[in-house]
Amino acid sequence: MSRSLGSLPPEPAAETVASRLRAVARFLRRALPLCQAHTVEFYTRGLWEQLVALSPEAVLEALSGAGLLRQQQRPLEEAAGTTRPGLWDNCKFSNVFCENSQKLVNVQFFALAAKYHSLPSLEVCTPLDQMLGALSGKQHERCEIKTEKFMNDKKSHEVEMMSKLIDSIAKFCSIKQVIDLGSGKGYLSSFLSMQYNLKVYGIDSSNTNTYGANERNRKLKKHWRAYQSRTRANVRGQALEEPKDGAVQDEMKCRANINEKLLSTNNSLLSQDQMASSDSVPLEITGALDSAMLKISKQTETRLVAQAQSDGNKISENAFSLLNILPADAVEAVSSSKYNMELCEEEKEQRKMASIKAKASKSNDSNIYLPLTSHITAETELCDIITDLEDCIMVGLHTCGDLAPNTLRIFTAKPEIKAVCSVGCCYHLLTEEFENQKDCSPGLWGFPMCRYLKEEGWCCGRNARMSACLALERVAVSQVLPTESLFYRAVLQVIIEECYGVVKSDRHVGKIFSKSSSFVDYVRKSLKKLELDESKLPDSGIMDYYEKYKHRMNELEAFNMLKVVLAPCIEVLLLLDRLCYLKEKDNIAWSGLVKLFDPVKSPRCYAVVALKK
């Protein structure tokens, strides 16, 4: 490594992380039933009466709008009435849940306990600024690419913030190669290659995403000349003011100079040719001379353009042509589907891997962004995909489901991978070892990863993991939940069970609410999709169900607010599980959690970061 590990910020001790994990697990054992039930079953299972001993009005007053914002902004010590936040260390939560009925009895203490067991209060995160300062030391000025020109605000924020950290880690470890797992359409990969001159392999399981990356690269070419021109000016140290339309004018000047020199050269050649020719020159010879002149003209143009390009290439490694970075053939979808032959699965896999290797082998210093299509698991051999695998950093921006924990497993297992920076998402897609007791076979599950939760046989359940995806900060700033659509679906479930006797179905209603003009329309479209006989129910019968439950809509709204408040605690359990897994490994020099993003812009905002010894 280029710098001493001692220069890194203090990392949370393994015992501290394990202690926080155990505390969060204790709290969730009492609170998790609120999130383990699905809102679809809210009325059919009587969830409010079963789990909450409060009025919905009391819950909404404490947690909705300004009430929730006050809860989030109030200092924990002040809310707890203590000089230090140790109120919950050995608490049995008798003030939050009834010991006998297990129902929620105090919403204020519930919100306080949830806040105490969220990451900002647990003091296990490393501030991003502190991490960047320790990794990078003195920052070098560079031509900043404005990502908002070709990304939406959310993606632009994510890519800019994560790229800074990845580049700092790469410099600290003296590495140039980056492997971006779940790279999607290449937002992060292309920015890392353009802005930071890193050699990036973007690996995604979808050929469609690889095609999308190709389309994005085509659009990026329109923007790069302006940035390249500014970088060239900065590196040469020319203290010249850029004109308003600098990039366009530079290109026009370049073309004008080339055309002027071409015109001069052609006039000279034409004068010489006219002196050497006569009126009696046959037409074929005249045509040959014209062809020769055209050939010479093209050669001259090529030489002049090459000279202009040569001048432009005498700049730092930060300024390079996007045409070289993102060649068209480098983003071609790697797939065996183009062979219209019937092949056995083994032959298809062999051809696919051969194609991937062929693409990877084309990589060189000028082709520094190479998207590849391959399904990644914990057992994936990267050297089978990347033929020039070298010391590298593995990254992932919002990798779905098991890909995030598998990223950490690959990192710990492969000696070439010196660091990792992983931001997960889609917790509901994680596989859980203890979720289905009939299938507790040994294997590499998405959750749990660490020894403690494995020994405890810990299980969240899909509904709770789905709740972990809720965005507390967004709701706190009045970005409300879609209560009406949830209400429609919950009442529909009552109709399905009472009128059709269907408790479970393999079919899903899907996103019908936005396409429906009324509750009656919503029910009829849903019944058609579920292949149930809608003629059994008149419109008046459907509206009777609506009227029956309309006054209880506030129960559903209040219940969902409780789930929103609890969501960060479930996410904490998943993240600390991953961090504890890294703390258990002997080859890790530093590991921690870093808050990368503004949670209002990007709710899944925490990165698991680690460096090897």
Side-chain angles (χ1 to χ4, degrees):
M1 294 193 177
S2 60
R3 299 182 64 196
S4 169
L5 286 169
S7 63
L8 290 173
E11 64 174 322
E15 182 51 41
T16 300
V17 175
S19 174
R20 302 291 192 269
L21 176 65
R22 289 192 292 268
V24 173
R26 282 197 303 270
F27 171 60
L28 285 178
R29 284 204 183 277
R30 298 297 301 274
L32 207 58
L34 289 168
C35 290
Q36 287 177 326
H38 203 294
T39 50
V40 166
E41 304 170 320
F42 184 76
Y43 297 119
T44 58
R45 288 182 54 190
L47 294 182
W48 187 263
E49 299 86 350
Q50 179 183 336
L51 298 171
V52 185
L54 298 165
S55 69
E57 292 80 10
V59 173
L60 289 173
E61 183 181 357
L63 301 183
S64 292
L68 180 60
L69 194 59
R70 284 195 301 271
Q71 288 279 358
Q72 293 304 303
Q73 294 176 345
R74 191 180 183 188
L76 191 61
E77 295 88 341
E78 175 189 323
T82 62
T83 56
R84 60 181 298 275
L87 177 66
W88 307 98
D89 284 347
N90 298 304
C91 181
K92 295 181 179 178
F93 308 106
S94 57
N95 293 326
V96 180
F97 300 98
C98 176
E99 290 296 326
N100 296 322
S101 67
Q102 308 299 312
K103 293 182 180 181
L104 176 68
V105 294
N106 191 316
V107 65
Q108 285 81 11
F109 270 49
F110 171 78
L112 181 62
K115 183 176 181 179
Y116 176 76
H117 293 97
S118 63
L119 276 177
S121 303
L122 293 177
E123 299 179 346
V124 292
C125 288
T126 302
L128 177 59
D129 291 343
Q130 183 182 0
M131 191 73 183
L132 290 175
L135 288 168
S136 304
K138 184 179 178 181
Q139 293 286 340
H140 298 284
E141 293 185 3
R142 61 171 70 245
C143 174
E144 292 292 337
I145 300 173
K146 301 301 181 183
T147 55
E148 63 268 16
K149 289 181 178 292
F150 40 87
M151 302 179 199
N152 61 38
D153 289 343
K154 176 179 180 291
K155 185 62 67 177
S156 174
H157 172 66
E158 294 166 350
V159 167
E160 286 190 19
M161 300 307 294
M162 191 166 182
S163 293
K164 288 180 182 178
L165 180 56
I166 293 170
D167 177 60
S168 297
I169 296 172
K171 283 184 170 60
F172 184 89
C173 299
S174 299
I175 55 181
K176 296 288 292 181
Q177 191 177 90
V178 178
I179 300 175
D180 181 10
L181 296 186
S183 55
K185 294 183 179 179
Y187 290 101
L188 178 64
S189 296
S190 58
F191 189 75
L192 286 170
S193 64
M194 287 198 309
Q195 178 67 30
Y196 297 105
N197 197 21
L198 292 167
K199 185 175 183 179
V200 185
Y201 286 94
I203 305 177
D204 196 89
S205 62
S206 170
N207 278 330
T208 302
N209 283 339
T210 306
Y211 174 79
N214 190 18
E215 286 299 297
R216 283 195 65 260
N217 295 338
R218 180 180 59 82
K219 294 176 183 178
L220 283 171
K221 292 176 183 178
K222 297 178 181 179
H223 300 276
W224 181 244
R225 282 193 178 92
Y227 302 128
Q228 188 184 38
S229 176
R230 276 200 296 273
T231 304
R232 184 184 299 116
N234 290 338
V235 174
R236 287 176 176 174
Q238 296 175 346
L240 300 175
E241 291 185 1
E242 291 184 359
K244 293 182 179 180
D245 296 323
V248 176
Q249 293 184 12
D250 286 347
E251 186 175 351
M252 292 175 64
K253 286 180 181 179
C254 181
R255 289 182 178 179
N257 290 337
I258 292 174
N259 289 337
E260 185 177 347
K261 291 181 180 180
L262 282 173
L263 182 61
S264 174
T265 302
N266 284 338
N267 287 339
S268 175
L269 289 170
L270 182 61
S271 176
Q272 295 175 18
D273 290 335
Q274 285 176 341
M275 291 175 61
S277 63
S278 66
D279 294 337
S280 61
V281 176
L283 182 61
E284 304 91 276
I285 298 178
T286 304
L289 288 172
D290 289 341
S291 176
M293 285 174 58
L294 180 60
K295 183 176 181 181
I296 293 171
S297 176
K298 287 183 176 180
Q299 290 174 345
T300 305
E301 181 180 1
T302 301
R303 186 169 62 252
L304 291 169
V305 171
Q307 181 179 350
Q309 289 178 342
S310 176
D311 292 340
N313 286 334
K314 296 176 182 178
I315 57 177
S316 77
E317 61 182 11
N318 290 327
F320 42 79
S321 173
L322 186 61
L323 302 177
N324 290 332
I325 301 168
L326 307 171
D329 64 339
V331 293
E332 181 179 331
V334 180
S335 173
S336 59
S337 60
K338 58 185 176 182
Y339 300 105
N340 296 319
M341 296 183 289
E342 295 184 4
L343 302 172
C344 69
E345 289 302 316
E346 184 178 354
E347 290 174 323
K348 287 181 179 179
E349 187 62 26
Q350 289 176 351
R351 291 199 175 194
K352 180 178 179 180
M353 295 308 300
S355 179
I356 290 175
K357 288 182 179 180
K359 291 290 181 184
S361 65
K362 292 182 180 180
S363 175
N364 52 49
D365 289 340
S366 62
N367 299 337
I368 64 171
Y369 169 41
L370 185 66
L372 301 170
T373 305
S374 182
H375 180 70
I376 300 297
T377 68
E379 293 92 353
T380 298
E381 290 294 339
L382 292 175
C383 57
D384 290 338
I385 303 173
I386 302 172
T387 55
D388 64 338
L389 183 66
E390 58 189 50
D391 287 355
C392 63
I393 174 174
M394 180 167 280
V395 304
L397 173 54
H398 290 155
T399 47
C400 290
D402 283 357
L403 185 55
N406 284 340
T407 298
L408 303 182
R409 289 190 174 104
I410 296 172
F411 161 68
T412 58
K414 306 300 180 186
E416 297 89 352
I417 306 174
K418 303 302 181 183
V420 68
C421 181
S422 171
V423 181
C425 72
C426 303
Y427 299 131
H428 60 292
L429 298 179
L430 282 171
T431 58
E432 287 199 64
E433 183 175 357
F434 305 105
E435 184 172 16
N436 185 353
Q437 295 300 319
K438 296 180 181 178
D439 185 24
C440 284
S441 57
L444 297 176
W445 302 85
F447 177 85
M449 297 184 73
C450 73
R451 284 195 294 263
Y452 170 72
L453 293 183
K454 281 182 174 291
E455 291 169 358
E456 292 287 310
W458 236 94
C459 174
C460 290
R462 189 179 190 278
N463 291 333
R465 286 183 278 110
M466 180 75 80
S467 296
C469 299
L470 295 172
L472 172 62
E473 289 82 4
R474 284 185 175 180
V475 177
V477 293
S478 300
Q479 298 185 27
V480 296
L481 289 168
T483 303
E484 189 176 20
S485 62
L486 297 172
F487 172 72
Y488 274 24
R489 182 62 184 89
V491 178
L492 173 66
Q493 190 65 26
V494 177
I495 295 173
I496 292 171
E497 291 191 16
E498 291 187 0
C499 298
Y500 296 92
V502 177
V503 178
K504 289 187 178 181
S505 175
D506 294 334
R507 298 184 177 276
H508 299 280
V509 172
K511 299 179 180 179
I512 290 181
F513 175 80
S514 60
K515 306 171 186 176
S516 304
S517 58
S518 64
F519 180 70
V520 172
D521 187 37
Y522 172 84
V523 171
R524 296 212 174 279
K525 287 179 177 177
S526 299
L527 292 176
K528 286 181 181 179
K529 193 164 184 180
L530 296 171
E531 297 186 352
L532 298 174
D533 184 9
E534 62 167 315
S535 64
K536 289 180 62 176
L537 279 175
D539 289 354
S540 59
I542 294 174
M543 286 306 298
D544 286 344
Y545 278 100
Y546 180 85
E547 295 296 333
K548 179 180 178 180
Y549 290 95
K550 181 174 66 173
H551 70 284
R552 294 180 59 189
M553 188 186 299
N554 62 348
E555 293 178 0
L556 182 60
E557 183 180 359
F559 191 77
N560 281 317
M561 287 306 303
L562 293 173
K563 296 173 73 171
V564 167
V565 170
L566 195 58
C569 302
I570 305 172
E571 183 176 30
V572 167
L573 185 77
L574 301 174
L575 293 176
L576 291 185
D577 172 54
R578 296 171 186 179
L579 184 56
C580 279
Y581 167 81
L582 293 174
K583 297 291 184 184
E584 294 167 359
K585 302 300 178 182
D586 294 331
N587 61 340
I588 306 300
W590 191 98
S591 58
L593 296 172
V594 178
K595 186 178 180 180
L596 280 182
F597 313 134
D598 178 349
V600 176
K601 292 182 179 180
S602 181
R604 307 282 74 78
C605 59
Y606 290 98
V608 179
V609 179
L611 289 78
K612 281 183 182 168
K613 293 178 180 178

